[in-house]
Amino acid sequence: MEIDERIQKIIDNVEKIIKGKRNKIILSLVPLVSEGHLIYIDIPGVGKTTLGEAIANSIETKTSRIQFTADLLPSDIIGVSIFNRENNTFEFKKGPIFANIVIADEINRAPPKTQSALLEGMSEKSVTVDNITYSLPEPFMVIATENPIEFTGTYALLESELDRFMISLDIGYPDSDTELEILAEDKRLEAKDLKSVITVDEVKTLIDEAKEVSIDGSVLRYLYEIVQKTRVHKSIKLGISTRGMLDYMKASKGLAKILGRSFVIPEDIKTLAKPVIKHRLIFKEKDSRNQDEIIEDILNETKVPI
């Protein structure tokens, strides 16, 4: 596996902060080159926000961080029109959503009305205020974090909002050797200490190149059959949407590009199944099996093209 040298620079930089999580870092970069969005869903303290900030700081681009709280208003994200007495007109003051990478920290702590302020931007790469539409910078990516354990003072994410995230990831604990290495460090770097190692123009080039990655008809059919099985599986109440299916395809091209290939292979489809699919599904509560096991069932039941 020969990772694209531009992506390798980001990985090496992020690994100065995030130890023992190379696969998670690689998957985190898929939405970056595939024009998608990313959400980390995991317990506190495992490095969700730190990983997002480390990726953002590795790119020479405009980044903003929004701490979601119960009193956060949509205008705190999008911006607000302010009356200018000098020229007797309203002027729009842009909010933190006008950045290339927006880190939405603890997104489920804000009420649905505030969460929905991200939806237009995530889908259309623009926001509308007072009937005027403003384009967001390109590239544009939201990196959100969510704590799935604590429910006090939180609001469940809307299904339509989750569907706008190309990939969801957990981080998990590091392995024993890595945690011992972390304990032994005299001084730990922080995400804010990282310097950029790649320009925004290089990211745009990566995005353009990912779009040109080819996907054979048999591999595309393999992806489609997986999607179809999520819609009819006995343990799943709601399967993958058409938007989710398209994200799956774009993500597979992005992963192939990251791994230094100009074509998608079935292994890319399998690798991305849980990150792309899991957060989009609504499972039937009566099924006692782990959700990952249900997705594994679907993969095992789907014939891999040769």
Side-chain angles (χ1 to χ4, degrees), residues 87-279:
N87 53 26
N88 208 36
T89 59
F90 282 92
E91 294 180 352
F92 179 61
K93 300 296 182 182
K94 294 179 178 179
I97 197 173
F98 286 87
N100 295 107
I101 298 179
V102 178
I103 298 174
D105 203 12
E106 295 186 298
I107 191 172
N108 58 327
R109 289 202 172 276
K113 182 178 180 180
T114 301
Q115 292 178 23
S116 66
L118 288 172
L119 298 186
E120 182 185 359
M122 292 173 71
S123 289
E124 309 297 334
K125 296 182 182 177
S126 62
V127 296
T128 303
V129 180
D130 297 332
N131 295 320
I132 300 175
T133 299
Y134 301 89
S135 296
L136 295 173
E138 291 188 9
F140 174 72
M141 178 184 179
V142 173
I143 303 178
T145 69
E146 178 186 358
N147 172 11
I149 304 300
E150 187 176 347
F151 298 106
T152 303
T154 63
Y155 302 83
L157 269 64
L158 307 170
E159 284 80 5
S160 60
E161 183 177 7
L162 281 170
D163 198 41
R164 282 169 168 81
F165 287 101
M166 176 176 281
I167 280 180
S168 71
L169 293 172
D170 58 14
I171 305 297
Y173 297 114
D175 58 54
S176 299
D177 290 341
T178 301
E179 285 203 299
L180 287 170
E181 180 186 338
I182 292 170
L183 282 173
E185 288 178 340
D186 292 328
K187 182 180 179 181
R188 294 207 67 221
L189 285 174
E190 297 182 11
K192 65 181 181 180
D193 299 322
L194 294 181
K195 305 297 183 183
S196 59
V197 294
I198 185 174
T199 67
V200 68
D201 287 336
E202 288 177 291
V203 173
K204 289 179 180 178
T205 300
L206 278 166
I207 290 171
D208 290 338
E209 292 173 356
K211 291 176 182 177
E212 298 302 316
V213 170
S214 64
I215 178 166
D216 185 77
S218 62
V219 178
L220 198 60
R221 182 73 188 181
Y222 176 56
L223 181 152
Y224 180 68
E225 288 176 359
I226 293 171
V227 169
Q228 282 291 88
K229 281 183 169 62
T230 69
R231 297 169 177 172
V232 298
H233 197 281
K234 64 180 181 179
S235 300
I236 298 173
K237 186 176 181 180
L238 181 65
I240 298 298
S241 67
T242 302
R243 175 168 51 206
M245 178 182 68
L246 291 171
D247 268 1
Y248 201 176
M249 180 186 68
K250 290 193 292 184
S252 67
K253 289 185 174 186
L255 180 59
K257 179 62 194 175
I258 286 171
L259 299 181
R261 280 186 273 103
S262 61
F263 54 90
V264 176
I265 60 175
E267 190 62 32
D268 297 328
I269 307 298
K270 292 178 70 174
T271 299
L272 289 166
K274 291 175 187 175
V276 173
I277 291 174
K278 185 176 177 180
H279 66 287

Side-chain angles (χ1 to χ4, degrees), residues 3 7 11 21-34 37-40 51 55 141 166-170 251-252 254-255 258-259 267-276:
I3 294 175
I7 293 295
I11 295 171
K21 294 293 178 181
R22 172 161 290 215
N23 287 339
K24 300 293 184 180
I25 295 170
I26 290 173
L27 289 173
S28 296
L29 295 173
V30 170
L32 179 68
V33 303
S34 308
H37 307 287
L38 168 67
I39 184 167
Y40 295 118
L51 177 50
I55 290 171
M141 178 184 179
M166 176 176 281
I167 280 180
S168 71
L169 293 172
D170 58 14
S252 67
L255 180 59
I258 286 171
L259 299 181
E267 190 62 32
D268 297 328
I269 307 298
K270 292 178 70 174
T271 299
L272 289 166
K274 291 175 187 175
V276 173

Side-chain angles (χ1 to χ4, degrees), residues 235 284-291 293-294:
S235 300
K284 294 179 180 178
E285 294 181 2
K286 64 180 180 180
D287 198 312
S288 60
R289 289 179 300 166
N290 184 287
Q291 294 175 356
E293 293 176 352
I294 295 172

